[in-house]
C-alpha cells in the first residue's frame, strides 16, 4: 500500500519440503515443492524426496547476481566451480552474457564471445534460455551492424519482444534499400514507450528522416514523447531541436502557468506547433485534474495534428473529456488516436461506445460494446452491463487427473519449480511461461491445476488467465488461505470477495512478496502502517518481523482496508485507491471533482498510472470472486457508484 512502484521482489521461499522431479530431464536433481499429501495423486507422491537449498545453490545464485552486473571476472571465477551443477545451461549463459555487455549494460561490439554464443545456441536449441541468449547477441550484432548475421539470427528469435532489436531489424532493412516509408510506418507502430527506445531506436528515427521515409515533424513527435517523460537527451537524438521544447518543460513544471502564458503567446508559433503545444499542456493539466485541461485539448482539437501527439497526450485527452463530461471531446479524441494505441486498451472501445450513446447513436454504441463484451476485464464487464448481460463467471471446463499428472514431467515446469525454490523468480517465470507456449486451453487449465497442487499460486493465476475459449475461473481467481482470511473478514464485516480481489492484485498470493518500497506479504503491508494498525486493534507485542506471518499479515492488511473504507465513506473505488496510494491522495483526487462523477470515470482519471490500473483490476477481480465464491454477479457499475466532490480533511491513517 502507498506504493508508486510495485515491482515485486520476492524474498526466499521458506519451503521445508521439496520434491525431486524429472530426473531424466538433463538435470538430475531439479526440485519442486512437496505439496500436502492429500492434494496430489500417488503418481506425484512417488517422486517425493526432501531437499534443501545447498551451498552450491547459493554459489549459483551469486553467479546470477554477478552476471546481472556484467562482472566478467567474478562470473568466470564462480562458473568454474559449478561445472557439475544441474543447471549447466544457466551456468554457461551467466558466464557468457557479461562478455557481451559492459558494466553499464550497453552491448559490446567486439567478436570475442561469438564462438561461445554459437556453441550455446546449437547445444541448447529450442529452449527459453537459448532464445534469451539470441536476444542478447542480436543487440551486439546490431550495434556492430553485422546485418547478414543479424538477419539470420533475428529470423530465429521466437519471442521478438525487444524494442531495441526491432529497431535494429528496421535499420538492417533500411541498409538493404527497403522502402523507407513502409519502414517508418512499422516504426511508428511500436515506438510508443520511450523507456524502451535505447540506442538503436535513437539511430533509426533520424536515419528514416534522412532517407525520406519520415518527416521531421514525425521525428520530433517521437522525440517529444521522450521529452515529456524526462528523456531530454534522447529527445534531441530522435527528433533534433524541438521548437516547443521550452513549453514542454514549462508544462511539466507548472501546467497552470504554462496554460495562462501560452494563451498570450500562442500566435507566435505555427499552427502545427500551437496544436502540439496545447496537447502537451492539456496532458499535464489533466494529470493535475485541472478543469482547464478540457479547454486546452479543445484548442488542440480545433487545430488538428492529432497524429503528432504522444501516446500520453492522446490518452489524457480522452480522460480530460471524461472528467469534464465532454462526450464530444471524448469521441473526437478516440477517433484521432493512433490505431495501435486505440486497440491496445479496451478502455477506449468502451468509452467510445459511451460517447456514441451520449450522442443518441445507440446502434453504433452497441457495436462498440460488442467488440469487447467477451473480454474478462474491467471494461469487458462494463460493456456486458451496457448490453444487458450478466457478469457471471463462464462455465467451468474440467480436466482429468491424467491431464494434470502429465504436467509434472514438463521440463519447463520442473526447472521453473526449482528456480522458484531458490527465489530466482525472473528465471522461473521464463521457464514456466516458455512451457505454456502453444498449449491448448485444456492443457493450460491442467498446468494451472498442477501449479495449484504444488502451491505456486501466482502461476495458477498467470496460467489460467491465458485461456481463450475454455475456462476455469476457480483457477483464475483462486482462494488460498481461506481458512485464515474468512474469520478475519467476518469479524470486521469486510467483503471477502473484495479482500481477495485486492490480494490477487497485490501479491498474486506469493506469501513472501516484497515491494521496492518495503511493503510485504500477501497484502503488501507497509511497516509503518502495520505498526499503526497493530496498535489500533490491540495486537500486543507486535514487531515488524512478524509481518511475514500469514495470519498477522492478513489481519493487519484486512483491518487497514476496512479503516480506509470507513474513512472514505464506504466507497470501494476511493478505498482501493487509498490502499495503493494513500488516503490523502484519494481524498485530494475526490476534492478536485467539479460535480458528482460516476466511479468508472473517477477510476479512469486517477493521475497515477499504477493506481489507476490497480483500482480497475481490484474491482474487476472482486466481481469475479463474488461469482466464483457465491454464485453472485453484482453490477460492477453499481459497485463503482457515484463519487461526489468533498473537501479533503486530514486523515490520521498512514
Amino acid at each position: 500500500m502507498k506504493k508508486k512502484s510495485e515491482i515485486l521482489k520476492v524474498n526466499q521461499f521458506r519451503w521445508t519440503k521439496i520434491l525431486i522431479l524429472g530426473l531424466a530431464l538433463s538435470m538430475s536433481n531439479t526440485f519442486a515443492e512437496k505439496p500436502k499429501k492429500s492434494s496430489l495423486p500417488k503418481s506425484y507422491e512417488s517422486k517425493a524426496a526432501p531437499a534443501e537449498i545447498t551451498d552450491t545453490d547459493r554459489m549459483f545464485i551469486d553467479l546470477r547476481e554477478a552476471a546481472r552486473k556484467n562482472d566478467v571476472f567474478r562470473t568466470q571465477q564462480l562458473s568454474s566451480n559449478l561445472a557439475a551443477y544441474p543447471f549447466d545451461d544457466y551456468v554457461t549463459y551467466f558466464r557468457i552474457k557479461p562478455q557481451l555487455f559492459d558494466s553499464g549494460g550497453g552491448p559490446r561490439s567486439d567478436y570475442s564471445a561469438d564462438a561461445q554464443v554459437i556453441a550455446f545456441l546449437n547445444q541448447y536449441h529450442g529452449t527459453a534460455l537459448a532464445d534469451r541468449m539470441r536476444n542478447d547477441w542480436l543487440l551486439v550484432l546490431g550495434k556492430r551492424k553485422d546485418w547478414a548475421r543479424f538477419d539470420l539470427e533475428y529470423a530465429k528469435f521466437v519471442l521478438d519482444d525487444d524494442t531495441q532489436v526491432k529497431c535494429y531489424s528496421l535499420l538492417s532493412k533500411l541498409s538493404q534499400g527497403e522502402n523507407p516509408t513502409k519502414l517508418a510506418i512499422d516504426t511508428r507502430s511500436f515506438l510508443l514507450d520511450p523507456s524502451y527506445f535505447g540506442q538503436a531506436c535513437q539511430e533509426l528515427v533520424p536515419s528514416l528522416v534522412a532517407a525520406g521515409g519520415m518527416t521531421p515533424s514525425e521525428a520530433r513527435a517521437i522525440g517529444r514523447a521522450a521529452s515529456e517523460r524526462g528523456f531530454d537527451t534522447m529527445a534531441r537524438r530522435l527528433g533534433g531541436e524541438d521548437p516547443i521544447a521550452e513549453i514542454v518543460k514549462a508544462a511539466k513544471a507548472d501546467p497552470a502557468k504554462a496554460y495562462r502564458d501560452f494563451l498570450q503567446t500562442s500566435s507566435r508559433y505555427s499552427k502545427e506547433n500551437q496544436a502540439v503545444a496545447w496537447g502537451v499542456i492539456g496532458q499535464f493539466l489533466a494529470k493535475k485534474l485541472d478543469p482547464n485541461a478540457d479547454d486546452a485539448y479543445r484548442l488542440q482539437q480545433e487545430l488538428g495534428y492529432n497524429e503528432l501527439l504522444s501516446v500520453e497526450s492522446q490518452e489524457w485527452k480522452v480522460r480530460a473529456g471524461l472528467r469534464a463530461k465532454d462526450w464530444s471531446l471524448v469521441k473526437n479524441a478516440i477517433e484521432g488516436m493512433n490505431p495501435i494505441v486505440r486497440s491496445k486498451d479496451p478502455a477506449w472501445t468502451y468509452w467510445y461506445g459511451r460517447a456514441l450513446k451520449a450522442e443518441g447513436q445507440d446502434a453504433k454504441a452497441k457495436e462498440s460494446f460488442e467488440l469487447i463484451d467477451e473480454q474478462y476485464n474491467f471494461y469487458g464487464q462494463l460493456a456486458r452491463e451496457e448490453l444487458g448481460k450478466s457478469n457471471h463467471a463462464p462455465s467451468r471446463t474440467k480436466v482429468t487427473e491424467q491431464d494434470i499428472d502429465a504436467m509434472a514431467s514438463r521440463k519447463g515446469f520442473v526447472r521453473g519449480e526449482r528456480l522458484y525454490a531458490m527465489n530466482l523468480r525472473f528465471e522461473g517465470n521464463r521457464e514456466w511461461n516458455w512451457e505454456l507456449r502453444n498449449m491448448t486451453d485444456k492443457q493450460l487449465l491442467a498446468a494451472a491445476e498442477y501449479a495449484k497442487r504444488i502451491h505456486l499460486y501466482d502461476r495458477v493465476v498467470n496460467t489460467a488467465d491465458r485461456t481463450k475459449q475454455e475456462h476455469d475461473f476457480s483457477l483464475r481467481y483462486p482462494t488460498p488461505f481461506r481458512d485464515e482470511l474468512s474469520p478475519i473478514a467476518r469479524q470486521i464485516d469486510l467483503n471477502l470477495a473484495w479482500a481477495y480481489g485486492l490480494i490477487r492484485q497485490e501479491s498474486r498470493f506469493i506469501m513472501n512478496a516484497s515491494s521496492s518500497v518495503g511493503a510485504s506479504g500477501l497484502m503488501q503491508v507497509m511497516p509503518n502502517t502495520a505498526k499503526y494498525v497493530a496498535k489500533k486493534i490491540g495486537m500486543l507485542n507486535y514487531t515488524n518481523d512478524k509481518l511475514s506471518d500469514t495470519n498477522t499479515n492478513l489481519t493487519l492488511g484486512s483491518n487497514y482496508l476496512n479503516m480506509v473504507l470507513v474513512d472514505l465513506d464506504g466507497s470501494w473505488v476511493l478505498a482501493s485507491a487509498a490502499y495503493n496510494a494513500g488516503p490523502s491522495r484519494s481524498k485530494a483526487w475526490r476534492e478536485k471533482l467539479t460535480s458528482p462523477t460516476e466511479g468508472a470515470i473517477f477510476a479512469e482519471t486517477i493521475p497515477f498510472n499504477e493506481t489507476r490500473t490497480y483500482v480497475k483490476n481490484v474491482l474487476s477481480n472482486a466481481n469475479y470472486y463474488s461469482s466464483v465464491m457465491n454464485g453472485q454477479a453484482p453490477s460492477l457499475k453499481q459497485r463503482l457508484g457515484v463519487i461526489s466532490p468533498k473537501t479533503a480533511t486530514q486523515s490520521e491513517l498512514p
Side-chain angles (χ1 to χ4, degrees), residues 331-351:
K331 179 173 176 286
N332 289 334
I334 295 172
E335 288 176 344
M337 270 184 163
N338 177 333
I340 302 296
V341 176
R342 183 175 175 177
S343 64
K344 275 182 65 176
D345 191 336
W348 315 131
T349 302
Y350 173 77
W351 290 118

Side-chain angles (χ1 to χ4, degrees), residues 498-535:
W498 183 35
Y500 265 114
L502 183 136
I503 295 170
R504 186 184 190 270
Q505 185 64 23
E506 284 283 358
S507 66
R508 279 291 198 269
F509 305 102
I510 301 171
M511 293 175 63
N512 292 330
S514 64
S515 79
S516 59
V517 293
S520 63
L522 290 169
M523 296 194 75
Q524 289 291 278
V525 185
M526 291 288 286
N528 288 341
T529 301
K531 288 181 180 179
Y532 172 89
V533 176
K535 183 178 179 180

Side-chain angles (χ1 to χ4, degrees), residues 93-159:
Y93 172 78
F94 288 146
R95 176 176 55 79
I96 297 172
K97 184 253 184 182
Q99 300 175 56
L100 301 177
F101 299 92
D102 59 33
S103 59
R108 303 177 190 271
S109 56
D110 61 75
Y111 293 73
S112 60
D114 280 13
Q116 297 176 69
V117 172
I118 292 169
F120 184 94
L121 294 175
N122 288 335
Q123 182 174 358
Y124 300 107
H125 173 74
T127 66
L129 198 54
D131 205 51
R132 176 68 251 181
M133 176 66 85
R134 179 167 282 113
N135 189 165
D136 293 337
W137 197 32
L138 283 167
L139 293 171
V140 173
L141 294 171
K143 181 175 181 179
R144 69 188 188 211
K145 295 182 170 48
D146 184 350
W147 299 130
R149 186 82 207 197
F150 178 94
D151 291 345
L152 183 66
E153 296 301 328
Y154 185 57
K156 303 173 188 175
F157 184 25
V158 176
L159 293 186

